[in-house]
Amino acid sequence: MGVLDKIKNILNGTNKNDSQVLLDAVFSEITVIDNGVYSTKYEKLESFKRIVTLTDKEKVVFMTHCIIENYKEKNKKNADYRFSFIINDVIKNLIKSKIVLDDEDINLLSNSFLLYTPSNYNLFSFWPINDFLNQIEKQIKRNTISESVIATLKNLKENISSSNNHYDEKQIVKITRKIDDILFLSTIDKNELKPILFLGKDNFANIANHQISLLPEKEKSNWYQILALSQKSTGSKPTAKFLTISKELLLQTDITNFKNTLIDWFDFIIKSKDELPEQQYYPGRFVISSPNVDMLKGLIWMCSQLNDTAIIYKLSTLTERCYRKIPNLGPASASMGNACLYSLYKSEGLEGVNQLSRLKLRIKQNNTQKIIENYLNNAAEEQGISVYEIEDLAADDFELINESRTWHFEEYKAEVSIIGVGKTTTTWKKPDGKTQKTVPSFVNEKYAENLKDLKNTKKQIELNLSSQRDRIDRMLRSDRKMTWSHFNTYFLNHGLLSFLSKNIIWNFTEKDSTFSAIFHENLWKSNTGSLVTPSTNCLISLWHPTLSSVNETSTWRNFLIKNKIQQPLKQAYREIYILTDAEVKTKSYSNRMAAHILKQHQFNSLAKTRGWKYSLLGCFDDGRDNGTAELNLKEYNLKAEFWVNEVNSDEAYNDTGIWNYIATDQVRFSNLTTNEIVDLIDVPVLVLSEILRDVDLFVGVASVGNDPTWQDTGGIPAYRDYWQSYSFGDLTETAKIRKDILTALIPRLKINKVAEIKDKFLIIKGKIRTYKIHIGSTNILMEPNDEYLCIVQDRSSKNQTENIFLPFEGDNGLSIILSKAFLLADDDKIKDSTITSQIGRT
């Protein structure tokens, strides 16, 4: 006799109409009481109280009847969703009540769930399977389980596991794990430790589970307990209980093996590629399945108790990986990323805080920025100091001395030295002091871990140099002053920051007297080259050209060029923006950067890099056609706003509905406390200059006028005149600085006889034609008829300007202009057909 026949016989053996009458009564009572189904309290329904008084066998018959009736209802063309919802709720509440299920009952209900699940529904989402299993588990703990029930549960697990829908994977794992728990309790000594592994379906689980299986029994047992605890990592932060238990478990574990295992696993995630969308509008998928994400989150939380440098560095890299965006989905795994941030914040000492400071400049999402800021504020408050100071204290010196660090390998040594922002070099030396180009073979064989430490440290030095440079650059917005002792310890004589600090101009203030100096050739010098001696009682701050005279700024620039000092950031050559007459008239806003067309995604990325908050505008925003990028300036109690509007044109949006382009509008300021508009004349000159500089950067980089292919590929027809006017129009402040540098630089270059500056252009007289490179947009016109020349930079080609001295780092546009100049000076040697075909036109 088949399962279906058994169900029919059981139902025929009782009065089927009685079950229907009871069900109809519940439905009628709910309809009369509140005409709704979602907030019903069944224990208060008279009709449900009657059902609860049934015998256990009668309850099972009633539930089986409900299952069949729900199945019938769902297969109707015009199914009543309320009826279906009530049936499911009745079964759920009844199965959670006091009921004892024997083997026959368990088999009957399980088979009914399987047989009467509508074809377009999942078994576990349609029926209260989890509550059913909880009831079985309660009874198993008191009694043994029969072979027939074991077979039933295995069949149930097999059916549930067969689903390949990754959206349901977390629920599938939860239910199959519950079935495994029941089967485990039924087959062995209840005191034995159950194996706990990663159950999500992905490559990571295969690798991690295999590694655990190879461990000695004691370590394997420890890992089972650790993973069992990690399964409960469902919140946004660990509970006190979680941290206490995890601390006890780690004390019983081989901690070195634990750290190394986690580093291997994190490395696997960092290096793995996510799944791209199979079709347009479909979301991509993170390389780690949802159930395994939760377990990994628990392991990441445990890292907060390890206080290990290698783990901290790896968590920092993993954080960036987790917030990396997946097409049509967003961050790969915000929950894992947030767990990393928590562990970095909670790690003992300040190494984690240093990584938070770095990540603040790397991660763009608004919500994540807020989390990092809160952690940094909390860390500073706990120490009783400012955020500036906590970031100073947290900056790692990497044991660098005179901008280098040495590792010894027997009689050989390796020296890692800083050669630029984000750049280091490794030099190997033999016992006789001579240089060796490659790593000695015995080092790879005998000192693999030490070599790995060297490489990791080298990478961290490069990453931290860039982030610390950006941190100091942001400090130029502030009026921060430091004592001589603090400056000496955390900047001038700091292993890492000394490289940056020595090429920066500083102000030294004592009482009412202030002078500026730079640390050149191990001595403090003024812009005239004369020696100065700062007092240990003075206060130190960053020098800013906005607060200096034109003559002082010009003298500093000449000093840098004369002594070939390359600043790590734009300081002496920094663009300055003074309030104009037009802005005095408009009073509360500036239109200086208005009416530009920007690529929205590029603008968004730039704004986030500079600390601004902005939300992308989309065609789904219910009529909202304008947006605002905002920057809070807490020490001035000001908020800066840059208004933008969508460029609404046919198909001018991407696959996710985000507008491709925006039009710029006003820049204005408001009081951070009262939200009242602040007149521009009342904004500190340094703040106004830095904010307008940021906005000019956004325009200068993200404008469609910078894209040499925009017009040729269609662009937006209505804005083609803008492209032409921007590409070859007046110079911005940034471009004016470029012009000053080129004017001083060109005479010293090998192309000086064929290059000259004229108005807005660098003119290059090639062998075939004469070219006009616009100093702002870097776009090119060809004489005699100002014909446009499209050259798209090849990033893989050799940088011809890398050996040219520039007084600061970071202006990519200047490098592009020089590269194009060198290329076009020898236009008769160009092989690229996309260029030669344009040059040859007449």
Side-chain angles (χ1 to χ4, degrees), residues 620-638:
F620 46 74
D621 286 326
D622 299 326
R624 183 171 73 91
D625 59 1
N626 58 74
T628 305
E630 299 178 347
L631 178 67
N632 290 338
L633 302 154
K634 293 181 181 178
E635 61 186 291
Y636 300 101
N637 197 33
L638 290 172

Side-chain angles (χ1 to χ4, degrees), residues 617-624 646 648 653-654 656-659:
L617 288 174
C619 55
F620 46 74
D621 286 326
D622 299 326
R624 183 171 73 91
E646 68 182 39
N648 190 336
Y653 50 83
N654 66 12
T656 58
I658 300 297
W659 295 109

Side-chain angles (χ1 to χ4, degrees), residues 391 584 588 677 679:
E391 290 184 300
V584 172
S588 61
I677 298 300
D679 290 344

Side-chain angles (χ1 to χ4, degrees), residues 22 26 29 41-54 59 94:
L22 291 171
V26 173
E29 188 175 355
K41 294 182 179 179
Y42 284 84
E43 69 275 8
K44 294 186 177 180
L45 296 179
E46 292 300 322
S47 53
F48 188 75
K49 290 178 183 177
R50 166 72 185 90
I51 296 170
V52 172
T53 63
L54 297 173
K59 289 177 183 176
L94 194 56

Side-chain angles (χ1 to χ4, degrees), residues 65-117:
H65 174 77
C66 288
I67 291 169
I68 296 173
E69 288 303 308
N70 202 1
Y71 176 76
K72 291 178 181 178
E73 184 65 33
K74 279 295 182 181
N75 281 300
K76 292 180 181 177
K77 285 186 178 180
N78 298 311
D80 187 339
Y81 79 93
R82 295 177 305 156
F83 183 73
S84 178
F85 189 90
I86 289 171
I87 289 178
N88 276 31
D89 254 13
V90 168
I91 297 172
K92 183 175 182 177
N93 280 273
L94 194 56
I95 214 164
K96 289 169 70 175
S97 67
K98 285 186 177 181
I99 184 171
V100 177
L101 303 174
D102 61 22
D103 292 358
E104 186 181 39
D105 299 333
I106 292 171
N107 294 336
L108 175 63
L109 287 173
S110 180
N111 288 321
S112 298
F113 288 141
L114 288 170
L115 281 169
Y116 295 107
T117 299

Side-chain angles (χ1 to χ4, degrees), residues 62 206 216 229 351 533 630 702 791:
F62 174 75
N206 298 334
L229 180 62
E351 284 183 304
T533 305
E630 299 178 347
I791 297 179

